[in-house]
């Protein structure tokens, strides 16, 4: 029996983000998901080492890697459209759910239960999804920083909005990441290596 699941997941590299904005460097959802996984893993480690949490660092990585996989079917809906109002937001959630079911249907039955929690949020992963969401926002901020550093004024307002959004996240892990790691993204390569 042949399964198309992994071939479809592999198509994440074909779905560009930030479609409504002029980009100096394109970013696809595979690259974005890797960034979110790295940051979510860091947030979990920070929580465990600095704030006596007991996050499953490997699990949060896995959730982050798959968090936008349904976009191989739906495409990347720009945030201003996706969250324009509650009706659009709710319909889009339904579309994402249907896309997740479609992807899961591409797996052999013996593997489906292993992938369901990556597409349908489970109660036991609730606090990990909070970290993934925070990492997603940090990743968006990093993209804005990179674009703005390259002189792209198109991202000026987005950068301000993302910085404000990060400031409003009430998580110790995010605050720690911001205070200790975020400044590095504003530096040039020469500044990193001297």
């Amino acid at each position: 029996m042949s399964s198309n699941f992994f071939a479809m997941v592999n198509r994440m590299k074909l779905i560009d983000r930030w479609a409504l904005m002029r980009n100096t460097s394109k970013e696809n959802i595979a690259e974005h998901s890797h960034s979110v996984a790295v940051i979510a893993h860091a947030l979990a480690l920070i929580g465990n080492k600095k704030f006596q949490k007991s996050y499953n660092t490997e699990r949060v990585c896995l959730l982050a890697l798959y968090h936008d996989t349904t976009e191989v079917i739906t495409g990347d809906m720009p945030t201003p459209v996706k969250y324009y109002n509650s009706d659009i937001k709710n319909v889009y959630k339904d579309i994402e759910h249907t896309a997740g079911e479609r992807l899961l249907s591409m797996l052999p039955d013996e593997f489906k239960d292993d992938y369901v929690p990556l597409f349908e949020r489970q109660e036991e992963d609730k606090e990990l999804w909070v970290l993934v969401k925070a990492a997603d926002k940090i990743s968006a901020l990093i993209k804005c920083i990179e674009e703005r550093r390259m002189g792209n004024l198109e991202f000026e307002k987005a950068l301000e909005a993302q910085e404000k959004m990060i400031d409003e996240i009430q998580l110790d892990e995010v605050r720690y990441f911001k205070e200790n790691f975020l400044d590095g993204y504003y530096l040039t390569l020469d500044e990193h290596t001297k």
Side-chain angles (χ1 to χ4, degrees):
M1 173 184 170
S2 180
S3 169
N4 297 337
F5 178 81
F6 297 106
M8 286 296 288
V9 170
N10 189 56
R11 298 180 73 79
M12 290 173 69
K13 64 186 175 192
L14 303 176
I15 310 298
D16 288 334
R17 291 175 41 85
W18 303 93
L20 295 178
M21 299 176 77
R22 187 178 311 277
N23 290 258
T24 61
S25 176
K26 292 222 181 254
E27 178 187 53
N28 61 53
I29 62 171
E31 294 165 325
H32 168 69
S33 294
H34 173 268
S35 171
V36 173
V38 168
I39 296 164
H41 182 256
L43 294 177
L45 282 174
I46 291 165
N48 292 349
K49 291 183 177 285
K50 295 292 185 182
F51 302 104
Q52 294 71 52
K53 303 284 179 73
S54 56
Y55 295 125
N56 181 330
T57 56
E58 291 81 16
R59 180 84 178 151
V60 78
C61 238
L62 188 60
L63 297 175
L65 279 175
Y66 280 88
H67 85 280
D68 276 345
T69 305
T70 56
E71 291 181 10
V72 299
I73 293 175
T74 67
D76 178 42
M77 170 101 39
T79 299
V81 176
K82 191 188 307 187
Y83 298 109
Y84 180 74
N85 65 34
S86 59
D87 290 338
I88 292 174
K89 181 180 174 183
N90 291 335
V91 168
Y92 189 73
K93 289 267 184 223
D94 290 343
I95 292 169
E96 283 183 316
H97 179 75
T98 301
E101 288 178 339
R102 175 74 181 112
L103 286 167
L104 289 169
S105 76
M106 295 178 185
L107 282 165
D109 288 340
E110 66 186 302
F111 296 107
K112 284 181 184 172
D113 288 345
D114 298 294
Y115 284 89
V116 165
L118 304 178
F119 293 92
E120 298 173 11
R121 295 184 181 193
Q122 309 295 304
E123 183 62 30
E124 61 267 21
D125 291 328
K126 186 177 178 179
E127 65 180 3
L128 297 180
W129 281 111
V130 171
L131 295 182
V132 171
K133 183 73 170 170
D136 190 43
K137 291 181 185 311
I138 292 169
S139 178
L141 171 59
I142 291 166
K143 168 65 172 169
C144 292
I145 292 167
E146 290 170 345
E147 288 290 333
R148 194 60 197 92
R149 283 193 55 254
M150 295 306 297
N152 187 352
L153 296 177
E154 182 89 8
F155 278 78
E156 191 168 14
K157 293 292 181 197
L159 175 58
E160 291 172 10
Q162 292 297 328
E163 286 173 331
K164 184 176 186 233
M165 202 176 300
I166 297 303
D167 287 343
E168 292 173 354
I169 296 175
Q170 299 296 310
L171 282 175
D172 291 332
E173 297 85 351
V174 171
R175 181 184 46 76
Y176 186 92
F177 187 92
K178 180 184 172 202
E179 291 171 0
N180 293 277
F181 302 113
L182 200 56
D183 286 346
Y185 293 95
Y186 291 88
L187 301 176
T188 66
L189 176 61
D190 290 336
E191 291 170 322
H192 279 293
T193 56
K194 69 176 187 174

